[in-house]
């Protein structure tokens, strides 16, 4: 009798383990269907910037430093707004897809365009008046002048970001992101070939490097637009509609809180570069620090793939009304993200010095980069956790709470501590970055606590309320609307 009971228990345990393995494997596949092409897209897109920066380094140190100033201050400023305002789209599109309300995804996409295009009017002057702006905030005159000339070349990239952020999110929410991954990978190869041709062979210098960068991004955007308008998203894209102008306030409110969440996260890098630019030997400091930031940002593109996967999977499951599946998805995503983060952390420690020669031929800059490798490895590991947890917050529509965490950790802990280490203890660049790592660590711990304490049944209720609000309409109501099809 006892043997029979023991055998039954062992069988039950084996069955449970088998079911858990199968369930985990299914979730891993779902996650990688979103994360893998998103990582390819983001790594390739950022790779185009890295290729351009590498060629700017070959042209000259002042060109490399000015490129770093524009990318790290002006572009980070506008990217923070664009990515932030656009980050409300994963919440609403992901939950709509999970609930089977595909027809509303196209309306949300158009609402996002309306809000972002309106916001862009106030951001364009940052590129036009870059020199006086940089001069006003304390950058050295030589860098301010060169950066002002270079900033105009970033305008096409700005408009690419404005449209691509939303179209990629729209495709990602319905698990159709692979086309963007292929287009981005092709454009990355295109950028390497054309940069070599325009800079090394034709000797076109800065116009050649920047022109190649802009052409590469146009190719990615062109592919996305054709894919959406060409009939491959027939369930979610029904054409341009007047409905996009209805009830913009709820969408705008979520966009504003999303904007705050990501703006302060992106802007901290700009503030860091600004502080470094006011140190002694600014050219070396800015060049070395920008190389570290770019390595970190390139690895962060991988983490953003897990952020996107977490936001889509959590939003999908909340839209379906399944809190247990949402929690399980978070555990799987976080485990894989941390594992990948550990691998990149080790690589940063091993190849900290040699990788800098991809960006510069200066041994002085490379030596400075090597001295920052431990800090670089630390931030890479923290970002692997923080990104996944931020994706969970976006999937739930809890951007406002995450915004409060970001502001507190970066601006009440990170910057004050970094300035203290830099100027009081005279640790210079290392002090500033060490302070920001402390801020990121505090942010990660708070996000872990918030996620752990979340009532997922309540989050399902909020998702259902959002899905059943007046902004949602049936397909029959939508089809009777006065629309003009793309």
């Amino acid at each position: 009798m006892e043997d029979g009971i023991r055998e039954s228990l062992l069988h039950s345990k084996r069955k449970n383990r088998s079911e858990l393995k199968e369930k985990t494997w299914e979730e891993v596949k779902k996650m990688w269907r979103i994360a893998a092409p998103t990582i390819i897209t983001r790594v390739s897109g950022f790779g185009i910037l890295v290729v351009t920066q590498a060629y700017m380094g070959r042209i000259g140190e002042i060109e490399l430093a000015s490129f770093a100033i524009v990318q790290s201050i002006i572009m980070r400023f506008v990217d923070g707004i664009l990515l932030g305002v656009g980050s409300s789209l994963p919440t609403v599109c992901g939950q709509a897809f999970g609930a089977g309300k595909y027809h509303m995804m196209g309306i949300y996409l158009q609402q996002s365009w309306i809000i972002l295009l309106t916001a862009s009017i106030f951001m364009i002057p940052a590129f036009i008046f870059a020199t006086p702006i940089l001069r006003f905030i304390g950058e050295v005159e030589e860098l301010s002048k060169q950066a002002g000339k270079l900033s105009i070349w970033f305008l096409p990239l700005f408009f690419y970001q404005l449209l691509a952020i939303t179209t990629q999110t729209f495709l990602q929410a319905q698990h159709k992101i692979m086309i963007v991954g292929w287009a981005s990978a092709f454009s990355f190869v295109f950028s390497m070939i054309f940069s070599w041709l325009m800079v090394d062979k034709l000797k076109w210098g800065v116009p050649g490097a920047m022109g190649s960068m802009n052409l590469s991004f146009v190719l990615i955007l062109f592919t996305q637009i054709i894919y959406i308008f060409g009939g491959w998203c027939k369930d979610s894209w029904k054409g341009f509609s007047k409905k996009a102008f209805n009830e913009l306030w709820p969408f705008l409110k979520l966009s504003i809180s999303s904007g705050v969440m990501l703006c302060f996260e992106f802007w901290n890098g700009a503030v860091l570069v600004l502080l470094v630019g006011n140190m002694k030997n600014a050219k070396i400091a800015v060049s070395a620090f920008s190389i570290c930031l770019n390595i970190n940002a390139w690895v962060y593109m991988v983490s953003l793939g897990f952020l996107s996967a977490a936001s889509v999977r959590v939003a999908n499951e909340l839209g379906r009304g399944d809190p247990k599946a949402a929690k399980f998805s978070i555990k799987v995503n976080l485990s894989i993200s941390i594992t990948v983060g550990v691998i990149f952390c080790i690589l940063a420690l091993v190849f900290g010095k040699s990788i800098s020669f991809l960006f510069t031929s200066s041994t002085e800059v490379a030596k400075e980069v090597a001295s920052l490798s431990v800090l670089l490895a630390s931030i890479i590991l923290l970002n692997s956790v923080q990104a996944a947890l931020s994706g969970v917050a976006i999937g739930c529509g809890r951007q406002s709470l995450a915004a409060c965490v970001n502001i507190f950790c970066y601006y009440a802990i990170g910057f004050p501590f970094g300035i203290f280490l830099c100027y009081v203890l005279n640790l210079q660049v290392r002090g500033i970055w060490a302070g920001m790592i402390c801020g990121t660590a505090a942010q990660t711990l708070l996000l872990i606590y918030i996620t752990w304490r979340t009532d997922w049944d309540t989050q399902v209720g909020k998702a259902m309320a959002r899905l059943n609000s007046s902004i949602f309409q049936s397909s029959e109501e939508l089809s009777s609307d006065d629309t003009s099809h793309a």
Side-chain angles (χ1 to χ4, degrees):
M1 184 70 176
E2 290 181 3
D3 291 341
I5 294 173
R6 191 179 297 110
E7 183 65 29
S8 178
L9 288 172
L10 288 173
H11 177 73
S12 178
K13 287 181 180 179
R14 282 195 294 267
K15 184 180 178 182
N16 289 337
R17 282 198 296 267
S18 177
E19 288 176 352
L20 180 60
K21 287 180 181 178
E22 186 177 343
K23 185 180 177 183
T24 302
W25 178 239
E26 285 301 313
E27 182 58 39
V28 167
K29 288 193 292 185
K30 289 178 182 177
M31 189 205 72
W32 278 110
R33 284 193 202 107
I34 303 165
T38 303
I39 290 170
I40 293 170
T41 299
R42 292 189 177 276
V43 169
S44 298
F46 192 77
I48 295 171
L49 291 174
V50 172
V51 168
T52 306
Q53 184 179 31
Y55 274 94
M56 296 298 283
R58 293 185 187 184
I59 294 169
E61 281 189 7
I62 185 65
E63 285 78 10
L64 174 62
S66 60
F67 183 90
I69 289 290
V70 177
Q71 185 189 354
S72 301
I73 296 179
I74 304 296
M75 278 306 298
R76 271 184 180 268
F77 174 76
V78 299
D79 275 353
I81 297 173
L82 293 177
L83 286 169
V85 174
S87 72
S88 60
L89 202 58
T91 304
V92 291
C93 277
Q95 292 180 0
F97 183 80
K101 295 179 181 287
Y102 310 122
H103 58 281
M104 283 310 302
M105 297 177 70
I107 302 296
Y108 284 140
L109 176 62
Q110 293 169 60
Q111 287 183 321
S112 187
W113 284 342
I114 292 168
I115 293 169
L116 284 171
L117 285 168
T118 303
S120 71
I121 297 171
F122 302 97
M123 290 183 275
I124 291 174
F127 296 92
I128 298 173
F129 302 106
T131 295
I133 290 172
L134 293 171
R135 190 181 290 142
F136 175 75
I137 60 179
E139 284 298 331
V140 295
E141 184 65 21
E142 186 181 16
L143 287 178
S144 296
K145 284 184 177 179
Q146 185 63 28
K149 295 175 183 177
L150 202 62
S151 64
I152 302 300
W153 285 98
F154 277 85
L155 275 172
L157 175 59
F158 165 68
F159 284 106
Y160 161 80
Q161 292 281 64
L162 189 151
L163 294 172
I165 287 168
T166 50
T167 52
Q168 287 176 17
T169 299
F170 173 76
L171 293 170
Q172 182 178 277
Q174 51 194 311
H175 306 182
K176 293 183 177 181
I177 192 68
M178 184 56 76
I179 182 66
V180 186
W182 285 116
S184 300
F186 173 80
S187 294
F188 177 46
V189 175
F190 173 89
S191 73
M192 289 191 288
I193 295 171
F194 261 64
S195 294
W196 169 78
L197 179 64
M198 293 183 176
V199 178
D200 288 349
K201 293 301 178 182
L202 298 179
K203 307 296 181 184
W204 286 1
V206 172
M210 298 302 293
S212 174
M213 179 189 78
N214 287 325
L215 282 172
S216 301
F217 283 117
V218 166
L219 281 174
I220 302 173
L221 181 61
F222 188 65
T223 303
Q224 294 175 52
I225 296 298
I226 289 178
Y227 190 81
I228 293 172
F229 292 175
W232 284 276
C233 299
K234 60 182 179 180
D235 291 330
S236 53
W237 179 259
K238 302 293 183 179
F240 291 101
S241 171
K242 293 178 183 177
K243 295 289 182 183
F245 292 93
N246 295 343
E247 299 189 44
L248 273 172
W249 173 242
F251 193 89
L252 179 60
K253 188 164 63 173
L254 185 59
S255 295
I256 290 171
S257 60
S258 302
V260 173
M261 184 183 79
L262 283 180
C263 279
F264 285 100
E265 190 165 331
F266 269 75
W267 290 350
N268 79 81
V271 176
L272 290 175
V273 173
L274 181 61
L275 290 171
V276 172
N278 286 297
M279 292 178 180
K280 294 178 181 179
N281 201 8
K283 279 198 296 186
I284 298 298
V286 169
S287 296
F289 193 59
S290 68
I291 287 172
C292 286
L293 284 180
N294 274 297
I295 294 170
N296 175 52
W298 208 353
V299 176
Y300 193 59
M301 296 301 107
V302 177
S303 297
L304 284 177
F306 295 111
L307 182 153
S308 299
S311 66
V312 171
R313 289 293 302 126
V314 169
N316 286 169
E317 297 303 339
L318 292 179
R320 290 190 183 98
D322 192 341
K324 289 184 179 179
K327 286 193 289 185
F328 187 75
S329 175
I330 293 168
K331 293 175 183 177
V332 173
N333 190 298
L334 196 56
S335 299
I336 296 175
S337 183
I338 292 172
T339 302
V340 173
V342 169
I343 293 170
F344 279 111
C345 176
I346 294 170
L347 291 175
L349 290 171
V350 175
F351 299 105
K353 183 176 180 179
S354 56
I355 197 171
S356 61
F357 288 108
L358 292 173
F359 303 91
T360 181
S361 57
S362 170
T363 55
E364 196 173 357
V365 172
K367 192 181 294 183
E368 185 70 16
V369 171
S371 70
L372 298 170
S373 60
V374 174
L375 296 174
L376 176 61
S378 301
I379 198 69
I380 285 173
L381 184 58
L382 284 170
N383 280 339
S384 68
V385 183
Q386 173 266 330
L389 295 173
S390 294
V392 173
I394 292 172
C396 297
R398 304 175 77 184
Q399 286 91 333
S400 297
L401 179 60
C404 294
V405 170
N406 287 1
I407 293 171
F408 174 75
C409 293
Y410 286 128
Y411 296 89
I413 297 175
F415 282 127
F417 190 49
I419 291 170
F420 172 78
L421 293 174
C422 173
Y423 295 106
V424 178
L425 300 185
N426 199 32
L427 294 179
Q428 298 293 306
V429 176
R430 294 163 194 77
I432 290 177
W433 210 3
M436 288 312 301
I437 288 173
C438 291
T440 304
Q443 177 201 25
T444 303
L445 290 173
L446 281 173
L447 287 175
I448 289 172
Y449 177 76
I450 290 168
T451 304
W452 175 55
R453 296 288 296 173
T454 295
D455 184 337
W456 292 100
D457 290 317
T458 300
Q459 293 305 315
V460 167
K462 290 180 179 179
M464 292 298 104
R466 186 179 291 116
L467 290 169
N468 294 322
S469 66
S470 59
I471 195 170
F472 280 91
Q473 296 176 310
S474 67
S475 300
E476 290 76 19
E477 288 175 309
L478 183 72
S479 61
S480 64
D481 181 41
D482 179 24
T483 59
S484 57
H485 292 276

